[in-house]
Amino acid sequence: MTVSGPGTPEPRPATSGASSVEQLRKEGNELFKCGDYEGALGAYTQALGLDATPQDQAILHRNRAACHLKLEDYDKAETEASKAIEKDGGDVKALYRRSQALEKLGRLDQAVLDLQRCVSLEPKNKVFQEALRNIGGQIQEKVRYMSSTDAKVEQMFQILLDPEEKGTEKKQKASQNLVVLAREDAGAEKIFRSNGVQLLQRLLDTGETDLMLAALRTLVGICSEHQSRTVATLSILGTRRVVSILGVENQAVSLAACHLLQVMFDALKEGVKKGFQGKEGAIIVDPARELKVLISNLLDLLTEVGVSGQGRDNALTLLIKAVPRKSLKDPNNSLTLWVIDQGLKKILEVGGSLQDPPGELAVTANSRMSASILLSKLFDDLKCDAERENFHRLCENYIKSWFEGQGLAGKLRAIQTVSCLLQGPCDAGNRALELSGVMESVIALCASEQEEEQLVAVEALIHAAGKAKRASFITANGVSLLKDLYKRSEKDSIRIRALVGLCKLGSAGGTDFSMKQFAEGSTLKLAKQCRKWLCNDQIDAGTRRWAVEGLAYLTFDADVKEEFVEDAAALKALFQLSRSEERSVLFAVASALVNCTNSYDYEEPDPKMVELAKYAKQHVPEQHPKDKPSFVRARVKKLLAAGVVSAMVCMVKTESPVLTSSCRELLSRVFLALVEEVEDRGTVVAQGGGRALIPLALEGTDVGQTKAAQALAKLTITSNPEMTFPGERIYEVVRPLVSLLHLNCSGLQNFEALMALTNLAGISERLRQKILKEKAVPMIEGYMFEEHEMIRRAATECMCNLAMSKEVQDLFEAQGNDRLKLLVLYSGEDDELLQRAAAGGLAMLTSMRPTLCSRIPQVTTHWLEILQALLLSSNQELQHRGAVVVLNMVEASRQIASDLMESEMMEILSVLAKGEQSPVTRAAAACLDKAVEYGLIQPNQDGE
């Protein structure tokens, strides 16, 4: 009995009845052969829902197991194979498939039992014997590794906990080895089982930085993607103890604790990975409860006195990542609602805290922005008006509690909290501004003689100026106040903020040249002062950030853009500030760059609509003359020369909540503008732009991901992908490129994605497999029917390169499709480039799958004239591809060779064979030689 491989569904023995089950099973088998494993799975599932016999059920379950193995869902493959075995304990095929699934899941001891059973049932089966030998070797290797690891783990902990080894090189090496060992799942399991968590707790208790870092990094390995070990670790160490490490003054230890907690969150949310299971079979506490305990402790940490500012920021970062839903398609936002009820006041308390002078809570320059982002994400995660109204009520009650009856200090705290809301969920900020007395207090405090009070009030005024509901009020009442502050204040910190407020109000018209708020030249003067402050190293980074904020608004004006890109010192200062610890500047930097490169969305107005609007005396937006394409290209060149790519690469690498999805979208827009011209792409690649685009294309807003993916496509088309994306990065490029094939993308994006995928598909089989795994083939086939000739040609070229893969060849060989017909017909098209792509695909397929040769005459009656036209083409490349197709057909079948020799093809081949030596003449001569061998033609007297 021959055992079919893991991906071969079995036929069912003939039975009477259950015809619908039989029909669905056959349909599933056909889909499986075509590579549509999910479709096959659906057919088998549907068949199971009918009145199937126990024998049918066993076959369907093991066929489903084969599908799950192909889809790499090994848990379900094991389940399905087990169901088949329940129906028939001697089902050798189901036993073999379950052993494969168990092996992939790392449960080698169970897999070997199934294989031993297979061998006992079929002792002569070589497939089973070989599989048993392989798995036996794996088990022996694992036993050796585990036994040698036992002694190593014990020795490492002895060195680390020995007080006499303090600060020695031996101790440092032991800590490094422990961290490395924990990165391997088997090593992490060994440490865990060797009482490792308790020993790591002792390392944490020492208070020594190096030992604490080693312990935290080892715990990361233990908890990584392993739910039960994570729960056990929290139980041993105590959730409160782990969270409290975040609040230490040592920045490196706080960051390491942040990383550990992030890994714990992921493990609790996503569950255990599919590899080595370890103790995953153990009964564990409800992970949802553990999540809430962890989040509750983080919320408590936010308002604890004595916690470092960096620790508070790390806690906010964790909450931003852990609490809101990953996708709005997920209907469950209960965690967000719970956090709002339990911790909104605590988040607002951080957002309302002042850095200078230091208050009860230590905060950094980034704390308020992080609190704003968290508040914004929580608000966006709400689903209905009732939930949003509750959020507003809690915010307003908190602000009132400080504003009323708490004196001047309370009013400052309330106004600072309003600023925090305006930077985050601005709807809540606008509602707070409308509370009785708030706006009046802001205006009054702008005139205070105390710098701290002025700063709070002016910043609130600036944030309010950008909100639609308040902009008209502030334009009428705040401009004169801001101008007065700018002219009269002796403090740069106040003047620069007042200037930003003026910039914000002055840019209300956006890019509309006809809607300028200030007199001619005023915006240029404001921009010049912003650049002056930006370049002043004597001013602290927190204050200089406001100069960038001002430029982010003023660069809507094309005159300002032109002057800015000419100022090398200002650009250098901007890029240096983007690399500083002042993370809150990132959005302003990205906004200024978007404006300078005109990478915002802009559509040319329809001339007819413009005339109609003028006739109706409606306002028509006007583009500044210096925003024409030639000016934009010149600005891009200057930014590239100033080092914009290096600065943006650093921004993308930022591990901070300030790098929001909106900020990532702005960076994606700038990158796309930078790679627009082919000659600039080398500069972008050389400075690391290719590597930076990958994370932008994988995470962020839909628009941002699409822009980044298009930039990746442009780079992949015109440069060597292996140089642009070295190592494993090249495989990460595939998914973003495939995303551009969706119908909601533009024709240009479709075309560029196809061109880029063509390049990748020609590099290696592993890349072709990655493209297939991303389910790109059906979309590429769809574009082969596209009306636009360039898209149709690019899709055909891509398919030609993918045809080197067995799976694609199987698709062409499958019965009942027109894939081969399409290639044959395209080989006869007038478009020479399309001809070349299609003929190349035919040459490839007929070489790899000779059975296709006999089907070419069946797909169209014009096959012979198409092949003759290829051989008679003036393009040698087309001639060669045609000659290879004909040679493959001649070699595949004597009957086809006979049909060809009876036509004008023999005369064409004879003429080509006499030409100058070339691949075409050699192929033509080989065709004739084969025909002679078949006895279809005779050589002439000269032996030709």
Side-chain angles (χ1 to χ4, degrees):
M1 175 180 174
T2 303
V3 174
S4 41
T8 312
E10 297 78 8
R12 172 190 175 279
T15 60
S16 60
S19 58
S20 55
V21 173
E22 179 80 3
Q23 188 177 349
L24 284 166
R25 183 192 57 73
K26 286 181 178 178
E27 183 184 324
N29 290 352
E30 286 302 317
L31 290 167
F32 190 98
K33 287 175 187 174
C34 294
D36 185 358
Y37 306 121
E38 289 181 351
L41 199 57
Y44 298 142
T45 305
Q46 197 174 343
L48 277 170
L50 302 175
D51 188 20
T53 65
Q55 186 184 8
D56 281 331
Q57 289 176 16
I59 292 170
L60 290 166
H61 279 303
R62 70 190 185 207
N63 283 3
R64 278 169 57 82
C67 294
H68 286 306
L69 283 169
K70 283 289 187 183
L71 293 167
E72 299 180 13
D73 193 338
Y74 304 116
D75 283 314
K76 288 182 180 175
E78 183 214 352
T79 303
E80 291 297 330
S82 296
K83 286 179 181 177
I85 294 164
E86 283 174 17
K87 302 289 179 187
D88 179 5
D91 190 335
V92 71
K93 297 176 183 178
L95 283 165
Y96 180 60
R97 284 188 188 145
R98 187 168 73 174
S99 75
Q100 291 178 305
L102 290 167
E103 182 183 355
K104 291 290 186 182
L105 290 166
R107 288 147 66 183
L108 303 182
D109 52 342
Q110 292 172 277
V112 80
L113 292 174
D114 280 348
L115 279 174
Q116 286 170 347
R117 176 81 173 135
C118 289
V119 171
S120 69
L121 290 168
E122 293 187 13
K124 294 182 180 180
N125 191 304
K126 292 182 180 178
V127 174
F128 297 158
Q129 291 170 2
E130 184 63 27
L132 189 58
R133 272 196 298 274
N134 288 340
I135 208 163
Q138 289 182 53
I139 289 172
Q140 287 176 4
E141 182 62 33
K142 189 170 173 183
V143 168
R144 277 198 300 272
Y145 176 78
M146 296 294 268
S147 59
S148 65
T149 306
D150 276 340
K152 287 179 184 175
V153 170
E154 189 177 344
Q155 186 182 15
M156 281 185 266
F157 276 118
Q158 281 178 353
I159 294 169
L160 290 169
L161 293 168
D162 186 350
E164 294 181 8
E165 294 283 358
K166 192 170 184 179
T168 63
E169 185 180 337
K170 197 174 178 183
K171 203 164 193 173
Q172 188 178 9
K173 190 173 181 182
S175 65
Q176 289 172 349
N177 289 341
L178 195 64
V179 174
V180 171
L181 181 64
R183 286 177 187 156
E184 293 293 330
D185 210 33
E189 180 69 11
K190 179 51 62 181
I191 295 170
F192 180 78
R193 290 188 178 191
S194 303
N195 208 31
V197 178
Q198 288 88 340
L199 294 169
L200 290 167
Q201 185 175 24
R202 289 173 61 187
L203 292 182
L204 290 171
D205 291 340
T206 62
E208 293 180 35
T209 300
D210 290 342
L211 292 182
M212 290 183 77
L213 288 172
L216 290 167
R217 288 166 184 164
T218 305
L219 285 167
V220 166
I222 289 172
C223 298
S224 184
E225 296 181 311
H226 205 297
Q227 196 179 77
S228 63
R229 287 202 300 248
T230 298
V231 173
T233 300
L234 286 169
S235 176
I236 294 166
L237 296 178
T239 306
R240 183 70 193 146
R241 170 79 175 99
V242 178
V243 171
S244 67
I245 301 171
L246 267 183
V248 300
E249 288 293 340
N250 187 297
Q251 191 170 339
V253 173
S254 180
L255 282 171
C258 183
H259 184 206
L260 171 60
L261 285 164
Q262 181 62 58
V263 164
M264 287 178 159
F265 272 122
D266 291 341
L268 291 171
K269 277 192 160 187
E270 307 299 332
V272 75
K273 64 181 175 182
K274 294 178 182 177
F276 187 82
Q277 298 275 320
K279 296 173 73 70
E280 194 54 36
I283 297 171
I284 63 170
V285 183
D286 178 16
R289 179 185 169 279
E290 293 296 316
L291 266 175
K292 283 191 175 180
V293 171
L294 206 50
I295 289 170
S296 178
N297 277 277
L298 282 175
L299 291 170
D300 290 341
L301 187 81
L302 291 179
T303 53
E304 267 186 34
V305 178
V307 171
S308 68
Q310 177 71 35
R312 226 177 293 282
D313 287 357
N314 287 335
L316 288 167
T317 301
L318 286 166
L319 290 167
I320 288 167
K321 291 179 179 178
V323 177
R325 291 171 291 171
K326 297 291 183 191
S327 168
L328 295 180
K329 293 177 183 177
D330 177 6
N332 184 10
N333 70 337
S334 59
L335 193 57
T336 293
L337 297 176
W338 182 81
V339 167
I340 288 171
D341 287 339
Q342 300 295 316
L344 184 62
K345 290 181 180 178
K346 295 172 183 177
I347 301 165
L348 291 171
E349 194 166 336
V350 177
S353 295
L354 299 173
Q355 187 181 7
D356 294 311
E360 281 188 357
L361 301 183
V363 291
T364 69
N366 299 316
S367 298
R368 189 173 72 192
M369 180 59 77
S370 296
S372 295
I373 291 166
L374 176 55
L375 290 166
S376 181
K377 285 189 173 289
L378 292 174
F379 188 78
D380 291 342
D381 205 34
L382 300 177
K383 295 192 294 185
C384 62
D385 289 342
E387 291 175 358
R388 283 184 278 272
E389 191 57 41
N390 178 56
F391 187 95
H392 289 312
R393 180 179 55 77
L394 290 171
C395 290
E396 288 166 16
N397 288 344
Y398 178 82
I399 291 165
K400 284 178 185 175
S401 71
W402 280 104
F403 194 77
E404 298 168 1
Q406 295 284 344
L408 182 58
K411 283 184 167 55
L412 286 172
R413 187 67 176 261
I415 292 169
Q416 184 82 331
T417 307
V418 172
S419 285
C420 178
L421 287 169
L422 286 167
Q423 287 178 278
C426 57
D427 285 350
N430 279 327
R431 288 264 298 252
L433 275 177
E434 292 167 5
L435 291 173
S436 176
V438 172
M439 199 67 206
E440 291 77 6
S441 294
V442 170
I443 300 292
L445 285 170
C446 283
S448 171
E449 293 181 4
Q450 296 296 319
E451 184 178 2
E452 295 79 13
E453 296 169 8
Q454 268 192 312
L455 284 174
V456 171
V458 172
E459 285 186 21
L461 196 62
I462 292 166
H463 295 311
K467 312 306 169 189
K469 290 183 180 178
R470 283 284 163 184
S472 56
F473 170 84
I474 294 165
T475 303
N477 302 281
V479 171
S480 57
L481 176 61
L482 290 169
K483 282 184 178 178
D484 190 55
L485 284 170
Y486 175 59
K487 290 176 182 176
R488 298 178 185 238
S489 179
E490 296 177 0
K491 304 178 186 74
D492 277 346
S493 59
I494 300 296
R495 293 186 68 222
I496 198 169
R497 285 165 171 79
L499 180 130
V500 172
L502 292 170
C503 295
K504 211 167 185 179
L505 294 170
S507 64
T511 57
D512 185 355
F513 183 48
S514 62
M515 288 275 290
K516 294 303 163 191
Q517 303 295 312
F518 295 150
E520 189 70 31
S522 294
T523 50
L524 286 173
K525 288 177 184 176
L526 291 172
K528 186 176 180 180
Q529 184 59 54
C530 281
R531 298 203 309 273
K532 181 181 174 183
W533 271 321
L534 176 60
C535 297
N536 188 346
D537 292 335
Q538 303 304 311
I539 301 175
D540 67 277
T543 303
R544 287 164 66 207
R545 169 179 76 86
W546 287 97
V548 184
E549 292 271 359
L551 288 168
Y553 290 106
L554 292 174
T555 45
F556 281 123
D557 188 305
D559 289 316
V560 173
K561 300 178 198 181
E562 288 295 312
E563 285 196 1
F564 186 34
V565 297
E566 292 290 347
D567 191 337
L571 288 176
K572 184 180 178 182
L574 180 78
F575 299 153
Q576 284 176 343
L577 194 59
S578 71
R579 294 184 175 97
S580 72
E581 292 186 6
E582 184 62 45
R583 303 285 79 189
S584 52
V585 77
L586 295 183
F587 191 86
V589 172
S591 298
L593 292 174
V594 165
N595 292 340
C596 287
T597 56
N598 282 38
S599 45
Y600 40 72
D601 291 326
Y602 176 78
E603 290 185 18
E604 286 286 345
D606 185 338
K608 291 181 180 178
M609 294 303 293
V610 170
E611 289 301 318
L612 187 62
K614 286 179 178 177
Y615 177 77
K617 296 183 180 179
Q618 294 293 316
H619 172 71
V620 180
E622 295 179 21
Q623 187 182 41
H624 196 291
K626 291 181 181 177
D627 273 332
K628 300 290 184 190
S630 59
F631 284 92
V632 176
R633 283 195 293 272
R635 290 200 293 268
V636 166
K637 302 279 187 197
K638 287 166 186 171
L639 286 170
L640 285 168
V644 67
V645 177
S646 298
M648 289 174 63
V649 169
C650 290
M651 290 167 72
V652 172
K653 290 178 180 176
T654 299
E655 288 289 335
S656 168
V658 176
L659 191 66
T660 59
S661 295
S662 300
C663 189
R664 297 171 80 91
E665 180 185 320
L666 295 179
L667 292 172
S668 298
R669 287 176 178 276
V670 178
F671 267 122
L672 183 56
L674 296 178
V675 299
E676 191 61 40
E677 298 295 320
V678 174
E679 62 267 25
D680 295 333
R681 294 174 192 173
T683 304
V684 174
V685 170
Q687 294 180 19
R691 294 193 297 274
L693 276 166
I694 294 172
L696 292 176
L698 295 172
E699 186 181 346
T701 65
D702 290 341
V703 172
Q705 289 183 64
T706 302
K707 300 280 186 189
Q710 191 177 1
L712 281 173
K714 289 178 185 289
L715 293 179
T716 308
I717 292 167
T718 54
S719 62
N720 180 348
E722 292 174 288
M723 299 282 286
T724 306
F725 313 107
E728 293 296 307
R729 286 193 184 92
I730 194 168
Y731 303 102
E732 296 178 52
V733 176
V734 174
R735 181 172 294 174
L737 294 180
V738 172
S739 72
L740 293 178
L741 296 179
H742 293 293
L743 294 174
N744 58 343
C745 294
S746 68
L748 176 61
Q749 289 166 341
N750 299 153
F751 171 72
E752 290 178 332
L754 289 165
M755 293 283 284
L757 288 169
T758 301
N759 277 3
L760 293 179
I763 291 174
S764 70
E765 179 59 24
R766 188 179 167 194
L767 272 168
R768 288 191 286 276
Q769 288 298 322
K770 178 68 175 171
I771 294 169
L772 293 173
K773 194 172 181 180
E774 294 296 335
K775 298 182 173 58
V777 171
M779 290 185 278
I780 295 167
E781 285 185 320
Y783 286 114
M784 289 176 71
F785 294 93
E786 177 67 40
E787 288 184 16
H788 196 291
E789 62 179 20
M790 292 177 70
I791 295 177
R792 186 169 66 242
R793 183 195 310 149
T796 307
E797 287 174 349
C798 191
M799 188 58 72
C800 174
N801 280 358
L802 287 172
M804 289 185 271
S805 286
K806 175 184 175 297
E807 288 81 358
V808 176
Q809 294 162 18
D810 289 343
L811 292 175
F812 276 89
E813 202 171 31
Q815 295 294 328
N817 70 78
D818 290 332
R819 294 183 179 96
L820 186 65
K821 180 179 180 179
L822 187 65
L823 281 188
V824 174
L825 292 174
Y826 278 177
S827 297
E829 284 285 310
D830 293 334
D831 180 349
E832 198 171 89
L833 292 172
L834 178 61
Q835 264 189 301
R836 188 181 67 178
L842 268 184
M844 172 73 67
L845 288 164
T846 51
S847 296
M848 304 298 290
R849 297 294 172 97
T851 53
L852 291 173
C853 296
S854 60
R855 287 172 53 188
I856 289 177
Q858 299 168 11
V859 296
T860 173
T861 55
H862 301 291
W863 69 278
L864 197 54
E865 58 192 83
I866 288 171
L867 291 177
Q868 289 172 354
L870 286 173
L871 292 175
L872 294 170
S873 171
S874 57
N875 184 316
Q876 277 209 331
E877 199 171 353
L878 279 177
Q879 269 192 322
H880 180 228
R881 294 183 182 205
V884 171
V885 174
V886 173
L887 176 59
N888 291 337
M889 293 177 72
V890 168
E891 289 181 336
S893 162
R894 186 180 187 281
Q895 181 58 50
I896 298 174
S898 175
D899 292 342
L900 287 166
M901 294 305 138
E902 290 172 4
S903 69
E904 295 175 3
M905 184 66 75
M906 188 180 79
E907 188 178 339
I908 295 169
L909 290 171
S910 300
V911 173
L912 290 175
K914 293 175 184 177
E916 293 182 17
Q917 275 296 312
S918 69
V920 176
T921 58
R922 287 193 290 274
C927 289
L928 295 172
D929 289 343
K930 192 67 180 178
V932 171
E933 187 183 319
Y934 284 143
L936 298 173
I937 59 174
Q938 296 293 326
N940 61 21
Q941 293 178 347
D942 299 328
E944 295 179 351

